[in-house]
Amino acid sequence: MIQIVEDKIFILNGHKITYALFVNKLGFLQNLYFGEKVDNNFLYSLQEEWDKKTPAADDLNKDMYFDTMPSECAFYGRGDYNEPSIIVHRNDGSEMSRFRYAGYEVKKCIPALKGMPCVRGGGESLFVTLKDDFSGIKIVLHYLVFDDFDIVARGCEIINTGNDCVTLRRAFSFCLQFEDIDYSLLCLSGGWARERAPETNKLGHGITKIQSTRGISSHQFNPFIALVKDDCGEETGKCIGFELLYSGSFSLCAEVNGNDKLRVYGGINEMNFTWMLHPAESFETPQILISYSNNGIGYLSRQYANFLREKIINPQYVYKERPIVINNWEATYFNFDEKKICEIIEAASKLNIDTFVLDDGWFGKRNLDNAALGDWVVNETKLKGGLNTIIQKCNECGMKFGLWFEPEMVSEDSDLYRAHPEFAVGKRDIEPARSRTQLVLDFTKQEVVDYVFNAVSEILKTYQISYVKWDMNRSLSEFYSTGLDYSRQGEFSHRYVLGVYSLAERLMSAFPDIFFEGCAGGGGRFDAGMLYYFPQIWTSDNTDAIDRCKIQWGTSYAYPISAMSCHVSVCPNHQTNRTTPFSTRGAIASLGATGYELDATKLTDEEKNAVIVQIDNYKRIRDLIVHGDLYRIRNPFSGSEFCEIVVSKDKKSTYGVYLALEDSSETQVCLSGLDQKYVYRDIKTGVDYSGKLLMEQGFDIPILKKYETYVFELKVL
Ligand code: GLA
């Protein structure tokens, strides 16, 4: 709910939070409060305190005051020495700005961003307009709040109302100042095959910057950070989260300044960023989801999971039963023909797998990773009878068919590149930087996006396809387009992302019945922006259950488990060479959108039976996976156990997986999120437990050998 007091205090109340801002005596918009829900009187007293500290309106020597003012939009060149939110470069070279409050509006709808993912439907929005005292720049900050969430979504639109062209040198989505600096910063860091490991470091004076400069949100850092108190655990303690709805280069910063204030800000990465605004043009920033929890990081994660499911992910698919996929990548890599694929399909269908996804290597002259990207025509030499043979086999076996694409890429050895070298990113007289022997297509060019749309659509129209895996296997390196003027090269990175979003939007609208899965060399673009288009994303190329339990644990800090594609693969594992029990691989893969990444024809009878049982069990719990709440019970990063449970919204059913990372003796794990009053029956043993006992004394886990799992289901009957 949004309340406006005396046209100058703006109070946004969510489920258990309050976010308040106000216009101070000098006419500047400053933050008043963000945290646990408080009553208005408390906010009024805070405002009085600030009024006392604010210099008189006519005292022009007091500009240095801005250095400590909790600005909602920090401006440059007037004595605020923290990093600015927005920098406007004018044609005389000057950049100083002073953004002053100029009005507000409350709307019952939420802003739809042009060509970018954004919060969907419902809610109430506050639009606050600021005007620059020194240029024609107007900024409309927008704030969205929902009665049933502890999340405030923020973003802004920057409009050039002047007569001259200006260039934005920075356009961050938000800025928020805290008086308390005693926090640690949690980020999700990693690399290929080890994505999103939570890391927490105490904030000292200076700037801590979490960023991607790679043109994608990246394996290295995720666009999510949280401020956490020292005593913040899974279910107790205070933390504040920031999750950006963006899939390109980003920065999220926490700055503790010499005045002992903490500012958090960020958005599109300012490195190499400029954006030209002609008169009457405007620029929209991505949205940031800010959340507060006084009940630990677990509660914060559930807020994000619920919010993404309700407000970001495509409603057509978000709560739908996910296909149980078998993918041939680790089974065959590039080495397959139609006979091999049909054998896998037939074997998989007997195991009750419902969708076959044909991965890389089906098109052009693609027999290795050095050719044919961009040539989206079926390789009928490799696949006799083309895709029809395979789709017909799927039909005969009662399975659906899915297909891999890498729409944003081109190989130099491809018909597309030979015909259109100018489609690739880069400068023609400079040798391109290669990665996986491929180049990136220049998605800042409309003709390139159109070409890819037509080529991919042709395949999707021609064949009976129910699932698409959209991959993206390298970071961008040359942030340069031959299609942009000298003065617009700084727009390249963001324009590329807009090109990706526009292709996703067009494909999704043209083929609404196709389920799209995202991927970027595993989890290199796992972010809320991509989830707007793709209800699930391939979490990591690392399918080793032991590494995966960590990757999935870290990913769940900011994303719902239903968004994570998790497959069972063979052992020794192709990425780590580790051998784990088949049941362990199934159990870890069941904590997400489950599937298989193996050659079903090569499974032993015992493994085949195990798959049948795993799928049977998964079908029983898959409703919990898409609707339920995740509770992280044992942290694999800090001990020799992993345990997560998923609890239904009505708290009447629970599914849990415990994994021993070392040989373990009998132990108990205290569960969270249950109802103390309920009696839960262990479906396997028939034993009844009270919710109170399960939460306070724990649930019994038997003796396990290293890498064994114990899976349990508890139900109120
Ligand atoms: C990436 C993906 C894999 C697979 C290969 C194919 O690495 O993450 O799942 O699709 O590309 O080249």
Side-chain angles (χ1 to χ4, degrees):
M1 201 178 74
I2 298 175
Q3 275 174 279
I4 316 288
V5 181
E6 292 172 359
D7 276 358
K8 66 175 184 187
I9 306 179
F10 306 96
I11 304 168
L12 287 72
N13 281 316
H15 178 49
K16 290 203 262 179
I17 55 161
T18 299
Y19 189 113
L21 42 149
F22 82 110
V23 183
N24 71 17
K25 283 196 309 203
L26 298 174
F28 297 102
L29 186 71
Q30 60 171 82
N31 186 264
L32 187 57
Y33 175 84
F34 177 52
E36 209 169 14
K37 204 176 227 178
V38 288
D39 66 24
N40 288 3
N41 288 332
F42 176 72
L43 297 172
Y44 303 153
S45 62
L46 286 180
Q47 190 232 331
E48 273 167 31
E49 287 303 306
W50 276 111
D51 270 350
K52 279 185 218 153
K53 290 186 222 162
T54 309
D58 56 356
D59 189 349
L60 294 176
N61 294 320
K62 288 282 170 57
D63 276 3
M64 296 301 157
Y65 160 77
F66 297 131
D67 203 28
T68 50
M69 183 177 92
S71 200
E72 282 285 294
C73 183
F75 38 84
Y76 178 69
R78 299 302 295 180
D80 181 345
Y81 295 101
N82 303 280
E83 292 280 325
S85 308
I86 289 164
I87 304 179
V88 184
H89 185 90
R90 301 192 285 278
N91 58 14
D92 61 359
S94 64
E95 293 187 334
M96 51 288 222
S97 287
R98 197 164 61 188
F99 305 133
R100 213 188 279 262
Y101 171 76
Y104 77 89
E105 220 181 324
V106 174
K107 288 191 192 158
K108 277 280 171 215
C109 65
I110 58 183
L113 305 189
K114 287 179 223 106
M116 271 205 286
C118 53
V119 176
R120 297 176 197 262
E124 225 182 346
S125 318
L126 168 69
F127 295 79
V128 184
T129 301
L130 309 177
K131 278 190 181 148
D132 188 1
D133 282 345
F134 313 130
S135 76
I137 285 294
K138 187 167 102 173
I139 302 168
V140 182
L141 305 175
H142 52 81
Y143 300 81
L144 285 69
V145 68
F146 303 84
D147 293 345
D148 39 0
F149 287 103
D150 292 331
I151 288 196
V152 173
R154 279 190 62 176
C156 72
E157 184 176 7
I158 304 159
I159 306 154
N160 183 3
T161 64
N163 299 321
D164 299 320
C165 178
V166 299
T167 301
L168 301 177
R169 280 213 301 116
R170 177 179 303 194
F172 279 166
S173 300
F174 77 107
C175 168
L176 186 55
Q177 180 167 310
F178 300 89
E179 299 300 297
D180 179 6
I181 60 171
D182 183 23
Y183 279 104
S184 293
L185 188 85
L186 183 152
C187 69
L188 302 175
S189 69
W192 176 76
R194 51 184 179 84
E195 295 90 341
R196 290 172 295 283
E199 183 177 322
T200 308
N201 293 302
K202 191 83 191 165
L203 285 177
H205 284 95
I207 299 176
T208 307
K209 183 174 189 180
I210 303 302
Q211 67 168 345
S212 161
T213 56
R214 294 167 174 263
I216 52 173
S217 48
S218 89
H219 298 88
Q220 284 68 18
F221 286 106
N222 195 262
F224 164 81
I225 56 168
L227 298 174
V228 292
K229 282 286 177 192
D230 287 348
D231 61 354
C232 177
E234 274 299 323
E235 305 302 330
T236 54
K238 178 168 157 181
C239 54
I240 300 164
F242 303 85
E243 182 161 336
L244 194 66
L245 263 122
Y246 193 57
S247 312
S249 299
F250 70 90
S251 59
L252 289 171
C253 307
E255 177 173 5
V256 179
N257 62 27
N259 300 312
D260 285 347
K261 310 284 179 210
L262 164 60
R263 277 202 193 167
V264 184
Y265 44 78
I268 295 175
N269 198 316
E270 69 281 21
M271 191 176 111
N272 284 338
F273 171 84
T274 59
W275 199 274
M276 210 188 244
L277 283 184
H278 284 286
E281 283 181 352
S282 71
F283 180 82
E284 285 178 319
T285 71
Q287 289 173 335
I288 181 98
L289 309 176
I290 308 176
S291 183
Y292 171 90
S293 160
N294 213 357
N295 301 99
I297 194 81
Y299 181 85
L300 194 89
S301 301
R302 288 187 291 279
Q303 277 299 309
Y304 281 119
N306 287 333
F307 193 83
L308 295 185
R309 289 187 294 203
E310 286 287 305
K311 301 281 173 202
I312 305 291
I313 300 175
N314 184 349
Q316 186 182 340
Y317 290 108
V318 66
Y319 295 120
K320 226 175 167 183
E321 278 178 359
R322 300 303 166 81
I324 298 172
V325 157
I326 184 159
N327 175 300
N328 71 305
W329 178 240
E330 286 198 22
T332 62
Y333 296 102
F334 293 105
N335 188 17
F336 59 82
D337 56 18
E338 76 292 344
K339 195 164 157 285
K340 178 73 214 165
I341 295 298
C342 288
E343 282 166 11
I344 295 179
I345 293 169
E346 179 150 351
S349 71
K350 295 190 179 135
L351 309 177
N352 301 337
I353 294 172
D354 55 47
T355 303
F356 170 75
V357 176
L358 183 59
D359 210 279
D360 196 354
W362 58 267
F363 51 90
K365 294 197 181 75
R366 181 85 166 163
N367 296 311
L368 264 183
D369 64 6
N370 59 3
L373 287 172
D375 296 344
W376 302 114
V377 281
V378 184
N379 181 342
E380 301 214 7
T381 318
K382 193 169 183 176
L383 297 172
K384 307 262 164 6
L387 291 182
N388 281 332
T389 310
I390 294 168
I391 294 172
Q392 201 184 328
K393 185 72 189 173
C394 284
N395 287 339
E396 278 165 27
C397 294
M399 284 172 74
K400 292 186 170 161
F401 176 70
L403 196 58
W404 180 97
F405 288 93
E406 198 176 352
E408 297 155 72
M409 295 294 150
V410 64
S411 308
E412 283 160 284
D413 181 6
S414 68
D415 293 341
L416 177 63
Y417 187 77
R418 280 182 282 274
H420 290 289
E422 77 286 3
F423 275 17
V425 167
K427 198 164 174 311
R428 294 288 75 83
D429 52 349
I430 293 179
E431 199 188 351
R434 300 175 182 90
S435 173
R436 213 192 187 207
T437 55
Q438 64 197 51
L439 305 181
V440 182
L441 284 173
D442 187 345
F443 267 42
T444 70
K445 294 180 176 169
Q446 188 60 46
E447 66 270 28
V448 174
V449 177
D450 290 345
Y451 173 85
V452 178
F453 174 76
N454 290 331
V456 173
S457 297
E458 203 44 49
I459 296 282
L460 300 182
K461 273 193 297 210
T462 311
Y463 300 98
Q464 205 188 327
I465 294 172
S466 70
Y467 191 105
V468 164
K469 176 176 172 188
W470 175 327
D471 207 343
M472 198 288 182
N473 274 318
R474 62 160 288 184
S475 301
L476 279 67
S477 43
E478 293 104 329
F479 294 89
Y480 181 87
S481 171
T482 50
L484 292 171
D485 289 346
Y486 157 79
S487 50
R488 286 196 182 269
Q489 292 299 336
E491 300 179 11
F492 175 86
S493 188
H494 183 54
R495 284 190 185 275
Y496 177 86
V497 179
L498 293 178
V500 173
Y501 289 153
S502 80
L503 180 65
E505 187 71 55
R506 279 167 76 181
L507 284 172
M508 254 126 268
S509 339
F511 303 96
D513 297 329
I514 295 181
F515 183 92
F516 281 79
E517 178 187 75
C519 178
R525 199 162 58 181
F526 202 121
D527 57 68
M530 276 347 281
L531 282 175
Y532 182 83
Y533 305 99
F534 309 147
Q536 75 193 37
I537 298 176
W538 180 228
T539 318
S540 175
D541 274 345
N542 189 340
T543 53
D544 168 49
I546 306 308
D547 285 355
R548 259 308 182 103
C549 83
K550 295 184 176 161
I551 295 167
Q552 291 170 210
W553 175 280
T555 306
S556 76
Y557 275 63
Y559 306 100
I561 57 169
S562 54
M564 300 180 211
S565 281
C566 306
H567 292 178
V568 174
S569 61
V570 296
C571 278
N573 179 272
H574 290 193
Q575 294 79 37
T576 63
N577 213 27
R578 193 184 343 240
T579 296
T580 52
F582 199 84
S583 53
T584 293
R585 287 172 260 155
I588 297 303
S590 72
L591 289 166
T594 209
Y596 293 81
E597 186 94 9
L598 42 72
D599 184 345
T601 66
K602 293 192 180 148
L603 292 176
T604 62
D605 286 346
E606 200 185 328
E607 286 169 336
K608 283 182 190 154
N609 288 336
V611 175
I612 293 171
V613 173
Q614 280 169 3
I615 291 180
D616 242 25
N617 289 341
Y618 186 75
K619 285 186 174 161
R620 221 177 35 247
I621 57 122
R622 69 173 156 187
D623 207 42
L624 267 179
I625 301 294
V626 291
H627 287 98
D629 286 325
L630 181 76
Y631 289 82
R632 290 180 295 259
I633 307 291
R634 286 281 200 272
N635 184 348
F637 288 95
S638 59
S640 55
E641 306 161 286
F642 160 89
C643 182
E644 284 182 356
I645 64 169
V646 195
V647 181
S648 62
K649 293 279 180 214
D650 66 4
K651 309 232 172 252
K652 290 188 173 167
S653 44
T654 299
Y655 172 70
V657 175
Y658 177 96
L659 164 63
L661 297 168
E662 295 295 340
D663 289 351
S664 70
S665 47
E666 212 170 274
T667 187
Q668 281 86 35
V669 284
C670 289
L671 306 184
S672 310
L674 306 181
D675 191 319
Q676 296 218 356
K677 299 184 297 296
Y678 286 157
V679 172
Y680 293 86
R681 175 153 308 163
D682 181 339
I683 297 301
K684 209 182 303 178
T685 62
V687 177
D688 286 343
Y689 300 90
S690 77
K692 190 171 165 60
L693 182 129
L694 289 169
M695 297 213 284
E696 286 174 8
Q697 284 182 32
F699 176 71
D700 293 332
I701 304 289
I703 299 172
L704 294 174
K705 288 218 167 54
K706 185 176 178 177
Y707 299 155
E708 278 182 350
T709 36
Y710 189 73
V711 171
F712 50 96
E713 273 178 78
L714 300 163
K715 269 196 162 56
V716 177
L717 296 176

